[in-house]
């Protein structure tokens, strides 16, 4: 993953081979136990607590410009990476469902900034939640009620489909159609990633 980030940040000078990608090299087929229903979707599986996830997010990997027509880009925040992964995921899910995409992005960016730039880590679950409350302009009672909202619960359950994927190669993980896992260490440029996503999306 470090190789990919360094290459993208320095310059996008490498070209993707014209030949088809090789299973087991540039990508792998997820075992059935880790596959999930995501047709026409490129999915980034991540956690606020992951330093590589922060670097990928900062570098825009992946982004809408490299997703082929007819497909969409989504991101699944898993709860299993400590510390306080559940609280962060819940805050993000509430932001997305209740407040909308702009609030989701604001909270996600704020969490990344707090954790990876300011290096200020939360000491307990309550302060982790309070951080979200301050940015979402809601009370703890509202937060707790929203956490039980069926749409919020369903979104977190959807994100948790990424847990089995994360066990295979760590995070961030990039999947295509819930079936193919990109071997990020083999990717040398955004153009190469775009071509690989297009190829896997067409399978």
């Amino acid at each position: 993953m470090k190789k990919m980030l360094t290459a993208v940040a320095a310059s996008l000078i490498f070209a993707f081979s014209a030949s088809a990608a090789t299973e087991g090299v540039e990508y792998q087929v997820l075992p059935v136990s880790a596959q999930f229903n995501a047709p026409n979707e490129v999915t980034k599986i991540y956690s606020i607590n992951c330093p590589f996830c922060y670097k990928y997010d900062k570098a825009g990997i992946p982004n809408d410009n490299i997703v082929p027509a007819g497909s969409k880009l989504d991101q699944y925040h898993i709860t299993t990476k400590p510390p306080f992964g559940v609280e962060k995921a819940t805050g993000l899910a509430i932001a997305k469902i209740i407040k909308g995409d702009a609030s989701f992005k604001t909270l996600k960016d704020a969490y990344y900034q707090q954790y990876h730039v300011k290096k200020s880590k939360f000491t307990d679950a309550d302060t982790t939640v309070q951080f979200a409350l301050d940015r979402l302009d809601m009370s703890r009672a509202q937060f707790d009620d929203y956490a039980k909202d069926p749409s919020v619960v369903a979104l977190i359950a959807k994100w948790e489909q990424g847990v089995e994927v994360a066990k295979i190669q760590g995070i961030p993980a990039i999947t295509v159609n819930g079936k193919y896992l990109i071997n990020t260490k083999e990717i040398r440029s955004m153009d190469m990633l775009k071509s690989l996503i297009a190829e896997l999306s067409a399978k």
Side-chain angles (χ1 to χ4, degrees):
M1 286 187 282
K2 286 183 178 179
K3 288 168 61 180
M4 177 186 177
L5 290 166
T6 301
V8 172
S11 63
L12 302 180
I13 60 175
F14 296 97
F16 189 33
S17 170
S19 61
T22 303
E23 182 181 343
V25 180
E26 291 89 6
Y27 75 96
Q28 59 183 291
V29 178
L30 288 168
V32 174
S33 60
Q35 292 181 21
F36 53 96
N37 185 33
N40 304 314
E41 180 176 293
V42 176
T43 310
K44 180 173 72 174
I45 297 160
Y46 75 106
S47 168
I48 291 296
N49 298 326
C50 163
F52 289 114
C53 296
Y54 167 64
K55 291 176 182 178
Y56 270 49
D57 196 80
K58 190 176 179 182
I61 305 171
N63 61 68
D64 289 324
N65 293 328
I66 63 173
V67 175
S71 293
K72 65 177 181 177
L73 178 64
D74 205 351
Q75 9 182 353
Y76 293 6
H77 188 292
I78 56 176
T79 64
T80 51
K81 187 171 178 60
F84 314 117
V86 171
E87 288 76 14
K88 290 169 185 172
T90 302
L92 289 167
I94 289 173
K96 191 172 186 67
I97 295 295
I98 305 300
K99 295 284 190 173
D101 288 339
S103 291
F104 166 79
K105 186 180 185 306
T106 296
L107 180 58
K108 183 185 70 171
D109 290 348
Y111 267 134
Y112 271 141
Q113 184 79 9
Q114 182 80 358
Y115 201 79
H116 298 289
V117 178
K118 296 180 180 178
K119 307 293 185 183
S120 179
K121 298 182 179 180
F122 301 104
T123 56
D124 53 48
D126 286 339
T127 56
T128 307
V129 171
Q130 187 60 50
F131 186 87
L133 299 182
D134 292 342
R135 281 144 191 85
L136 298 177
D137 190 26
M138 65 177 60
S139 68
R140 181 59 188 262
Q142 288 175 312
F143 182 95
D144 290 342
D145 283 343
Y146 287 139
K148 301 171 188 174
D149 184 287
S151 296
V152 172
V153 172
L155 181 59
I156 294 174
K158 176 184 175 182
W159 289 351
E160 288 297 87
Q161 294 176 116
V163 171
E164 292 303 313
V165 178
K167 292 177 181 177
I168 297 171
Q169 188 179 266
I171 52 175
I174 301 173
T175 66
V176 179
N177 296 344
K179 182 177 180 180
Y180 303 106
L181 173 64
I182 291 175
N183 292 337
T184 51
K185 66 180 181 180
E186 297 296 328
I187 306 302
R188 301 290 182 269
S189 73
M190 201 76 84
D191 284 342
M192 182 178 179
L193 180 59
K194 181 178 181 178
S195 296
L196 179 56
I197 287 173
E199 181 178 338
L200 295 176
S201 296
K203 282 183 176 290

